[in-house]
Amino acid sequence: MSTALLIEQLLNGLQLGVMLFLMAAGLTLIFGVMGLINLAHGSFYMAGAFACATVAAATGSFWIGLIASLITAAAAGAIVEMAVIRRLYERDHLDQVLATFALILIFSEGTRWLFGSFPLYLDIPPLLQGAVPLPGGGQYQLYRLAIIGVGIVVAIGLYLLISRTRLGMRIRAGESDREMIAALGVDISTLYTVVFALGAALAGLAGALVGALQSVQVGMGEPVLILAFVVIVIGGIGSIKGALFGAVLVGVVDTMGRFLLPQALMLVLPPSQTALISGALASMLIYIVMALILAFRPTGLFAAQP
Amino acid sequence: MKNVLATGLIGLSLLVSGHAYAEPVKIGVITTLSGGGAGLGIDMRDAFTLAIKQSGNKDIELVIEDDAQKPELAVQIAEKMIQSDKVDLMTGIIWSNLAMAVVPNAVAQDVIYLSPNAGPSALAGANCHPNYFNVAYQNDNFHEAMGQYANQDYKNTFILAPNYPAGKDSLTGFKRFYKGELAGEVYTQVGQTDYAAEIAQIRASGADSVFFFLPGGMGIAFMKQYAQSGVDIPVMGPGFSFSQDVLPAVGDAALGVKNSATWAKDLDNEASREFVEAFQSEYNRLPSIYAAQSWDTANLILSALSKASVQDKEAFRAALKEADFDSVRGEFKFNTNNHPVQNVYIREVVKEDDVLTNTIVGTAFEDHKDAYAEQCNMQ
Amino acid sequence: MRQIVTREAITNAGLALLLLVVPLAASVMDEPFYVTLATRITVLALAAVGLNIALGLGGLVSFGHAAFFGLGGYAAGILATHAFNAQPLFLGIQATTSMPAIWLVAVVACGLVALPVGAISLRTSGVYFIMITLAFAQMIYYFAISWPAYGGQDGLSIYVRNTFPGANTAQPLPFFLICYGLLLLGLALFWALGGSRFGAALHTARQNATRLAAVGIAPFKIRLTAFAISAMVTGLAGALFADLNRFASPSMLSWHMSGELIVLIILGGKGRLFGPVAGAMLYVLFEYALGGITERWQLFLGLILLGVVLFARGGLMGLVAGKERYG
């Protein structure tokens, strides 16, 4: 195993982590501010990917598609928030789980109705094709580096937004005391819509970025959604910092598990068994990590609310 | 009273002496019409209904239902079709795991099931059944063909498949005929969408070729990422990841890839040409291999109906087993375990008028039989 | 004055009777499919009754009960497979196709898994509890699809339905009656738990854990017991479900299944004795009727569920039997 391969795999883990962060940031923000569990967050991811693929196919430009994905996901988020979600803030988690579970069914079949049953095509833009050399003799794909870059920019942007702007001040106030911000004369329902649309837009962005790497198809949001939940639970629900840390942890553990487990097991097991058993273990690994972390820190690593 | 009896007798004799196809036949079609895998089921259904429509046979009634790719739902629909709709024949299932859920029960209740896709090894060997006809392939076949093909040019192949039974069947099938070394053997997670880690391993493995079996969205993701990564080791795989339903989503990344299948639209026979033309003019898209297999399934049923009554199961099974129809795949017969004996071809992905499709470049096997037939005790 | 015969009691009796009479009538009219459909309702209702012990009585929103449902299913599948192939299980112990023995194995296995899972999960609460139960279920799900011994993703076929002394389980009606009997037992257990000192302690643990601790009862133990009992009942339903379909598959373990079990409870009315029964009836009938009308049935199912959450709080039982009474 060379250093170059190890570095490449670490970068792959980081890239997966960054993508999960884009999903998890919205989820954790929505939970932190409004106290809402949103199972339908994966649908915005899917909406972003479909919007990007459709617009990119029509205009020939990935970049216009990317803008379209942000607009579509944000608009879908705002509409869903105003039509459905705002009726759920006062309900218990159970009702929220069921209502957003229903939204998944509606979104998936609705998307299939609009776009048909076959997967769509979306490729990475010419500007970002190719690879860059790595120290140690390897090389790494430029587009994946760009995704890591986008993730870092979004993380910094969110940090600045929350710590330096009026909107961020209201979000922080909303997290600590919902009654108080109403008393301060802040229009809560607009604030909630904005936060929800912001979360949806981040998910849509993730969907569009990843859509160029994967297949743009109905149901693509669900596996990511479950991983994003793992991320925010590990990080501590409501904490952006926790989401970032959890996302990178999950991304790296998952990637390195798939990479290193077979090699480690090769030392103790006959080769015919290794591939199967390491496959089984690698797919369970992040859930084992999550259970271990919660067993020792029941509210995650960086819980925003005690 | 006598009159009633007489009328009854005349009616009965008419029924016996009349043409076999003049009686109503009910066919239950369970397939995937919603969710992520719906594309395959829709191609299956469209080809099947088109073949029945073109036959002009008005006595065939189709009961079509969506299984949403859920085994439990497929079982429930099958029970409804058997017990409530009282169907004579069943077909339509795309996925191996759904077939495993439905087929053993259905055939045990004396319903004839014809598989238009999916051929799990468990149903081809010791658990074969006279009521189960596989009109598509046994799951290992395409992979075996790729193993055979790889012997020509490659000595050191890296192989990967998802960690589930069809994935294991796949790599087993490949290795059954491949004689070279393995540069690596990896089982990926089911539903995995990012293959960066595996591609990095492939790059580092020193392999001279890559064989992969990743159906549906997994294959699309793998092919795109593989092409984007700039690794130039040639890839090959079974036809599923290069079928007409996924090629538009894979894009030019698939160009030139060799893959194995029992059919491509340029296969040189009359039945295939008619089928492609009919399908294209009806639905305005190119048919996939799932559509081709389904078209064959419908025509097999039609051929058997012209020879025997579905009420006479024994005779009808015999008529099916003769496989006396013009298959779009050319020569087609059934082995002792009711699985196909057929050619498996090597195809290459090409671009025709800006549309990606496959062209046949070679034959891996002629009259290929599956490896499990010996374990089946049918004659 | 407390009424003895409340509207809810009448509704409950009506539902129980309906679920019994329809399949009996269908059987007489030689429509075996409706017996099968009623069996499906019954088994799903039993699974939801199990979840309702944790969720309705204990306030523990488990998003991972599919794990126990699937474990029960696999218990039936694995025992039947070993018996069918005449292979001993381990240490020379012979497998069996006798349903009561299989149920025992399913229930014990679920209890044994629920204790450690519950012990870790109950350290958390609220959303964390929802998510950690989901994580455990996903762990078992991935194990099931990637472990080669018992069919992996393809699942496990039960070629002949398991047996019950004195009944021909291959026939739809006797099998339905067995399931129906177990559903009544499950409901009786729920009712007895709800009215017992244990139930009162559970209720207090939910409302005010400190008060419970003050009288010397550890809320953790009470909750863990409730979680384990709940898992065992759901596991029993899983074993029946596998026998109903003659098939155990990883999709019984998927998070969609966990979601559906929650849906059944809320659709019927959470925390109510017959909520899961009403919910299962509605859900299966929707699925069946919509699936027959349109291939876009999941869209309409989603709209109906959304409508129930937003506008029909209390679910079907809330509409028919009036508001939930406390005390």
Side-chain angles (χ1 to χ4, degrees), chain C residues 3-314:
Chain C
Q3 272 179 287
I4 304 295
V5 185
T6 60
R7 222 169 109 193
E8 177 158 358
I10 298 170
T11 315
N12 290 351
L15 284 174
L17 205 63
L18 186 69
L19 189 54
L20 181 63
V21 168
V22 169
L24 283 176
S27 189
V28 172
M29 281 152 39
D30 197 25
E31 285 284 356
F33 174 67
Y34 293 98
V35 184
T36 308
L37 205 62
T39 315
R40 188 178 160 87
I41 291 174
T42 308
V43 174
L44 285 175
L46 180 62
V49 166
L51 176 59
N52 210 15
I53 293 173
L55 198 153
L57 293 180
L60 305 167
V61 183
S62 165
F63 201 5
H65 256 50
F68 306 115
F69 193 61
L71 273 178
Y74 269 95
I78 289 172
L79 285 172
T81 306
H82 278 277
F84 185 74
N85 298 329
Q87 292 165 330
L89 283 171
F90 48 84
L91 304 173
I93 298 174
Q94 289 301 317
T96 170
T97 59
S98 163
M99 279 189 189
I102 288 172
W103 298 340
L104 186 68
V105 173
V107 165
V108 170
C110 285
L112 288 178
V113 173
L115 284 176
V117 167
I120 297 174
S121 303
L122 285 166
R123 291 172 52 86
T124 69
S125 60
V127 191
Y128 290 95
F129 183 80
I130 299 179
M131 291 304 150
I132 196 170
T133 46
L134 171 67
F136 276 114
Q138 288 292 101
M139 223 187 278
I140 296 174
Y141 171 74
Y142 280 115
F143 182 77
I145 56 174
S146 48
W147 197 253
Y150 294 107
Q153 166 104 346
D154 279 3
L156 203 53
S157 283
I158 299 174
Y159 285 89
V160 183
R161 193 175 274 163
N162 292 307
T163 54
F164 188 82
N168 179 5
T169 54
Q171 291 296 319
L173 193 63
F175 184 64
F176 165 78
L177 291 173
I178 292 169
C179 296
Y180 187 77
L182 288 173
L183 173 63
L184 292 185
L185 281 178
L187 287 167
L189 176 69
F190 183 90
W191 182 75
L193 282 177
S196 68
R197 284 192 54 215
F198 176 80
L202 199 56
H203 191 72
T204 318
R206 187 179 173 183
Q207 304 291 333
N208 188 344
T210 337
R211 205 175 88 199
L212 194 66
V215 296
I217 304 172
F220 177 80
K221 276 187 188 159
I222 294 282
R223 288 204 183 105
L224 185 58
T225 314
F227 187 77
I229 294 174
S230 155
M232 286 150 89
V233 175
T234 303
L236 174 64
L240 293 173
F241 197 68
D243 254 323
L244 168 67
N245 294 328
R246 297 193 190 83
F247 186 69
S249 92
S251 65
M252 287 176 76
L253 294 156
S254 76
W255 73 277
H256 268 269
M257 191 72 230
S258 296
E260 277 178 28
L261 290 180
I262 294 182
V263 166
L264 298 184
I265 292 181
I266 303 185
L267 208 53
K270 65 190 164 219
R272 321 268 297 225
L273 179 61
F274 268 69
V277 182
M281 280 178 168
L282 265 188
Y283 190 81
V284 172
L285 289 178
F286 278 151
E287 197 179 62
Y288 169 67
L290 287 175
I293 299 168
T294 162
E295 68 179 71
R296 312 220 179 272
W297 59 276
Q298 297 201 10
L299 178 70
F300 296 101
L301 185 64
L303 287 171
I304 291 170
L305 291 180
L306 197 58
V308 169
V309 187
L310 293 182
F311 306 112
R313 297 180 72 170

Side-chain angles (χ1 to χ4, degrees), chain A residues 5 9 258-259, chain B residues 158 186 197-205:
Chain A
L5 183 58
Q9 297 291 30
R258 268 151 51 199
F259 169 54
Chain B
F158 191 103
V186 167
E198 288 77 11
I199 291 169
Q201 270 174 275
I202 291 170
R203 190 206 308 269
S205 70

